[in-house]
Amino acid sequence: MPKVKNWQLNREMDYPYEGAYPDRQFAFVFNINRCIACQTCTMACKSTWTFSKGQEQMWWANVETKPYGGYPQFWDAKILKLLEEANPGKQNWKKRNGKYTFEGKTIFEAIKRRLLPNSSRVLGYLPEDHEWNSPNIYEDNPKGKLGKVNEIDKEGVELPTHKTWFFYLARICNHCSYPACLAACPREAIYKRPEDGIVLIDQEKCRGYRKCVEACPYKKAMYRGNTRITEKCVGCYPRVEGTDPESDGTPMETRCMAACIGQMRMQGLVKMNNDGTWTKDRSNPLYYMVHVEKVALPLYSQFGTSPNGYYIPPRWVPRKYLKQMFGPGVDQAIENYMNPSRELLAVLQLFRRSNRIIFSYEFEKGPKIYEGNIRDKPVNIYNDTVIAYGKDGTELFRTTIEEPIHERSKKYANSI
Ligand code: SF4
Ligand code: SF4
């Protein structure tokens, strides 16, 4: 099996194909601290792509309540259990020379330990129909005392970790750099677009074997019973490539991103090197958040698919749970998010000011507007400006740290 570089694991790993990387890669950052589970994103996707007969149980974009929620049910607990069974007690990260390396087995490596037909290139499982039935099951169910269901912890709500907690995990296909769906397809019906890394299923070639449904650890490939073909999130590619009539030739963010009420989503197209790493591009806001400030972390990178979805972890959730989900960088990410640099605070203002994809930004310093203490630490806040640029370098918008106040005139006091 070929070896590929997986920078998220800080090591090489096995993958059934040689690495092949797009010029630019579809990627996104979701700030969990801001998600209110309004499901506007979910419905924006549903009404665009999955409103037809046979797609009733398909939610290419969904938001689930952790720890109990999942679509399909318990998808992450199930794949973690399979990995643990394949490599008991060794699914760990180790720090060497200041960098963490994943020393456990990915889904591509763990499969070799099991007696399965040759067609199984990836460790996975096929959910049963009932597991797809209730995308919102356990919505808003908190986790309380260990081992006690539905009991709220009386110790309550102290930071950094609430004793009773839950959080919302918004999910779409990660358009992985090493897609498990693509690796598993015996008909080679799945491909990754060289221009943007969006992963698509060729509807003509697919015969509905569901090997991709079994293999995708995030369970984002979904079988459609009435056509007997599998479908998945298409990354709203007409918008991303600028051919959607609304986009006027300019790359636009996907429907789920553009609709986000909580302003927790940002999408980008990051430049790639020919070994699967990101090209240094400090002025790209995604590169800045992932590689410079390290506030956004990949979802379950230990699976090995090199997902291109990154999350700013929630501040109030037990760290052990977060580290399992987002890896060992969680402490640093939360620390940097809670005590942001001037530039990070400015970049966080870029979310959802426009539905055009931001290719680069500029940061301009402004005057001090606040001096005080937050959580016993001295803070100074400045009214800095951040300017967003599109693909061809034109300015998309600019925004300041301090939101301007507009006073409604008496004439319109009673109107919207
Ligand atoms: S998230 Fe799943 S469906 Fe999407 S590219 Fe990765 S493996 Fe394929
Ligand atoms: S629209 Fe935004 S805030 Fe609402 S559920 Fe989706 S991700 Fe969360």
Side-chain angles (χ1 to χ4, degrees):
M1 207 183 258
K3 294 258 182 224
V4 291
K5 180 170 181 168
N6 186 325
W7 66 266
Q8 293 178 349
L9 306 183
N10 193 32
R11 67 168 172 86
E12 286 197 325
M13 64 161 208
D14 296 336
Y15 186 69
Y17 296 104
E18 299 287 344
Y21 310 99
D23 300 335
R24 285 194 180 259
Q25 172 63 53
F26 176 106
F28 56 88
V29 167
F30 289 174
N31 182 356
I32 291 177
N33 297 277
R34 289 181 177 176
C35 180
I36 53 172
C38 61
Q39 306 282 5
T40 311
C41 50
T42 312
M43 294 317 297
C45 177
K46 187 97 195 130
S47 59
T48 308
W49 299 108
T50 60
F51 51 82
S52 303
K53 202 168 173 6
Q55 294 179 309
E56 293 82 358
Q57 305 290 17
M58 272 192 194
W59 300 89
W60 293 355
N62 77 296
V63 182
E64 57 203 40
T65 305
K66 290 293 177 204
Y68 299 119
Y71 169 73
Q73 262 178 280
F74 307 118
W75 61 274
D76 48 354
K78 285 189 163 187
I79 187 68
L80 287 167
K81 186 163 174 272
L82 286 176
L83 281 166
E84 184 59 30
E85 281 166 6
N87 189 32
K90 296 193 193 129
Q91 291 295 100
N92 303 319
W93 295 84
K94 206 165 229 166
K95 198 171 191 178
R96 281 209 201 97
N97 306 326
K99 270 193 126 183
Y100 282 99
T101 303
F102 180 62
E103 301 207 321
K105 295 211 177 297
T106 66
I107 53 175
F108 307 109
E109 295 157 346
I111 190 68
K112 292 187 214 153
R113 294 281 184 95
R114 297 180 91 211
L115 278 177
L116 286 170
N118 282 340
S119 61
S120 293
R121 297 183 198 140
V122 186
L123 182 72
Y125 76 98
L126 204 54
E128 291 176 24
D129 286 354
H130 72 91
E131 291 169 65
W132 297 101
N133 279 348
S134 313
N136 265 4
I137 199 161
Y138 292 120
E139 193 171 22
D140 292 359
N141 263 35
K143 168 114 174 59
K145 274 195 175 7
L146 196 63
K148 299 209 174 163
V149 180
N150 287 338
E151 190 174 312
I152 308 284
D153 199 310
K154 302 272 185 316
E155 284 179 64
V157 290
E158 69 194 42
L159 286 171
T161 304
H162 289 303
K163 294 280 166 33
T164 299
W165 56 275
F166 63 85
F167 68 95
Y168 303 122
L169 184 70
R171 301 205 299 120
I172 62 170
C173 165
N174 294 295
H175 298 280
C176 305
S177 290
Y178 304 116
C181 56
L182 183 156
C185 178
R187 287 193 49 89
E188 299 187 3
I190 303 185
Y191 61 103
K192 197 166 166 62
R193 305 200 328 161
E195 62 269 45
D196 52 22
I198 288 176
V199 174
L200 296 179
I201 302 179
D202 184 330
Q203 299 285 286
E204 301 286 319
K205 276 191 175 178
C206 175
R207 289 288 177 275
Y209 299 160
R210 288 186 278 180
K211 295 304 287 182
C212 56
V213 184
E214 182 182 338
C216 169
Y218 305 96
K219 295 294 167 241
K220 281 295 172 192
M222 294 161 206
Y223 180 68
R224 180 169 171 177
N226 64 337
T227 59
R228 299 188 183 177
I229 284 172
T230 301
E231 297 179 359
K232 64 177 284 303
C233 156
V234 295
C236 290
Y237 68 85
R239 290 168 67 89
V240 172
E241 65 192 19
T243 51
D244 180 294
E246 201 195 335
S247 73
D248 204 16
T250 320
M252 285 182 95
E253 294 195 336
T254 65
R255 290 273 287 134
C256 60
M257 312 276 171
C260 176
I261 302 287
Q263 305 196 331
M264 63 81 87
R265 295 168 173 242
M266 186 192 286
Q267 191 209 317
L269 288 163
V270 292
K271 280 192 220 150
M272 298 284 280
N273 297 324
N274 55 14
D275 63 354
T277 54
W278 289 18
T279 309
K280 194 170 175 207
D281 186 6
R282 202 186 184 287
S283 67
N284 180 304
L286 294 198
Y287 183 92
Y288 176 73
M289 285 186 282
V290 171
H291 285 292
V292 181
E293 291 284 357
K294 298 182 171 37
V295 284
L297 304 166
L299 178 65
Y300 289 120
S301 58
Q302 67 267 44
F303 295 164
T305 62
S306 198
N308 288 301
Y310 294 82
Y311 292 78
I312 302 179
R315 297 176 299 144
W316 60 91
V317 169
R319 298 292 164 94
K320 203 172 159 209
Y321 188 91
L322 292 178
K323 284 175 188 170
Q324 175 171 258
M325 188 171 266
F326 300 113
V330 162
D331 289 335
Q332 188 186 357
I334 293 178
E335 175 63 24
N336 293 358
Y337 180 68
M338 286 176 70
N339 301 291
S341 65
R342 284 174 72 170
E343 191 168 341
L344 177 59
L345 195 59
V347 167
L348 291 169
Q349 313 307 314
L350 290 173
F351 285 67
R352 299 271 47 78
R353 293 292 190 276
S354 160
N355 54 15
R356 312 275 152 181
I357 293 179
I358 302 168
F359 283 73
S360 63
Y361 74 92
E362 255 171 20
F363 167 71
E364 276 177 9
K365 287 187 169 171
K368 192 193 275 190
I369 49 170
Y370 176 79
E371 200 176 319
N373 283 311
I374 296 180
R375 290 183 293 273
D376 298 330
K377 282 191 184 162
V379 284
N380 296 309
I381 295 184
Y382 300 83
N383 197 18
D384 299 327
T385 300
V386 60
I387 310 153
Y389 298 97
K391 189 178 183 186
D392 57 4
T394 48
E395 182 177 324
L396 299 176
F397 64 91
R398 58 180 61 209
T399 186
T400 51
I401 297 292
E402 190 173 42
E403 295 225 3
I405 294 174
H406 300 284
E407 252 181 61
R408 187 174 293 177
S409 74
K410 285 210 168 72
K411 190 175 163 199
Y412 299 110
N414 228 359
S415 62
I416 299 172

